[in-house]
Amino acid sequence: MISVKEAKDLISQHISPLNPISINLAKAAGHTLAVDIYAQFDIPAFRQSSMDGYALKFEDHEKELRIIGEMAAGTTQNITIQNGETGRIFTGAPLPNGADTVVMQEKITRSGDKITLQDPNLKFGLNVRDKGSEIKAGALAMEKGCLLSPAAIGFLAGIGINEVSIYPMPMVSIIVTGKELQEPGKPLAFGQVYESNSYSLAAALKHEGISQISIYEADDDLEILKKVLQTALENSDLVLLTGGVSVGDYDFVIEAAAQCNIKQVFHKVKQKPGKPLFFGTYCQKLVFGLPGNPSSVLSCYYNYVLPSLKLLSQKNNSVTEVAAELSHLYSKPPGLTHFLKGKYENGKVTPLNAQESYRLSSFAQANCLICLNETQAHFEKGDILTVMILPN
């Protein structure tokens, strides 16, 4: 067996980002940019008003001014302001020729076609957006590696970008193994349990913006599992198998992986839960064999699978690590790293009840995993521990 750190290091050494693709900007939210983007134009492309009001020459601000026309947003006709003149203008409209300042409509007195300014704080250039004030043509708009957030999408649209090169989200297959599994909603026969792993994994993947998810079922039969695994490898960037990774008479994942030419990187990690974890590669594709117990599945997902997904799509890991103070005494046998379901609040962390690997009730209440290192056996109240904050 290898340590948790060794397992994580080995996984990261076998991952390369997915090849970038070009997609329409409207479909790019949540992805990571694969190339730098430069502005093609000055934005705004013309001087424009930032207020509804009147455009004028600042040198005339103490005079009575005659209104000679108006400029609305989207107009294609311009007017020219001479000394002693003004033009009605609206937010976003081009500034008339000759004008350099805009006075707000609330700060004038109008009589017929003439206005008098009532703004003692008016300054040259006030309420005018200069050409290129958002960005200049040729300037770097967004760097490779930036996340395309809603604001980033809006910014790129606003500078005229309609297509971007991004790292795609991985396509993921989930293979559920086990004769004993029954679909939720159907009656349980003797010896059956409800299958939950595909539900929790699919939900976790969707939470990360991954939508191309295929779910397969495979009986505890080597030939059946091989066929399902081969299909999944053809259609996925990453394959997750649940169950069948131990050494029982009906555990066929390791053998099926070998017969499908999957290169084993490691099998078994010094951890609890999730000791039988398997990781291998097939060309550039990643294969994880997760234990069958529901808490083991999620613990391994957050520790190993999620960081791998993030490396594939070049996104930041949504699990963050913090230091927290242990709320009370806790003991475990030495030799394995333990990941405890816990509750983190105000700098302190409390292990929850029901830590057994088959129990999800405590995981459903947890907001973190508490990491207890493999060599230490006793942890005192007030000890500072590493805590993994789980995505909401």
Side-chain angles (χ1 to χ4, degrees), residues 3 17 63 67 70 107 117 124 199 219 270 274 276 288 300 310 312 370-371:
S3 70
K63 301 177 182 178
I67 303 168
E70 73 172 32
K107 296 187 177 182
L117 278 60
F124 176 85
Y199 289 82
D219 209 340
K270 291 188 283 186
F288 287 90
C300 288
K310 297 299 187 179
L312 289 171
I370 306 167
C371 307

Side-chain angles (χ1 to χ4, degrees), residues 32-45:
T32 298
L33 271 181
V35 296
D36 293 338
I37 293 181
Y38 293 87
Q40 299 172 310
F41 318 99
D42 287 335
I43 302 295

Side-chain angles (χ1 to χ4, degrees), residues 126-175:
L126 193 65
N127 302 321
V128 175
R129 301 167 183 160
D130 287 331
K131 179 181 179 181
S133 57
E134 171 72 288
I135 195 167
K136 297 286 188 183
L140 178 64
M142 195 164 290
E143 290 183 317
K144 172 184 177 179
C146 288
L147 178 68
L148 290 171
S149 64
I153 293 291
F155 170 63
L156 292 179
I159 66 171
I161 302 297
N162 70 334
E163 191 170 89
V164 289
S165 178
I166 52 92
Y167 294 102
M169 301 293 190
M171 296 181 290
V172 180
S173 286
I174 301 169
I175 303 176

Side-chain angles (χ1 to χ4, degrees), residues 142-217:
M142 195 164 290
E143 290 183 317
K144 172 184 177 179
C146 288
L147 178 68
L148 290 171
S149 64
I153 293 291
F155 170 63
L156 292 179
I159 66 171
I161 302 297
N162 70 334
E163 191 170 89
V164 289
S165 178
I166 52 92
Y167 294 102
M169 301 293 190
M171 296 181 290
V172 180
S173 286
I174 301 169
I175 303 176
V176 179
T177 69
K179 292 178 179 291
E180 76 281 10
L181 302 177
Q182 175 61 291
E183 181 183 340
K186 294 184 178 180
L188 286 176
F190 178 75
Q192 288 186 319
V193 297
Y194 286 122
E195 192 276 306
S196 65
N197 288 333
S198 68
Y199 289 82
S200 60
L201 286 172
L205 293 167
K206 290 174 183 176
H207 187 275
E208 299 301 327
I210 296 171
S211 59
Q212 297 186 71
I213 304 168
S214 301
I215 299 176
Y216 303 90
E217 295 179 357

Side-chain angles (χ1 to χ4, degrees), residues 52-73:
D52 292 346
Y54 294 84
L56 62 136
K57 293 175 180 288
F58 180 73
E59 63 188 73
D60 290 340
H61 72 283
E62 294 181 345
K63 301 177 182 178
E64 184 180 59
L65 303 175
R66 183 170 63 88
I67 303 168
I68 63 163
E70 73 172 32
M71 298 292 290

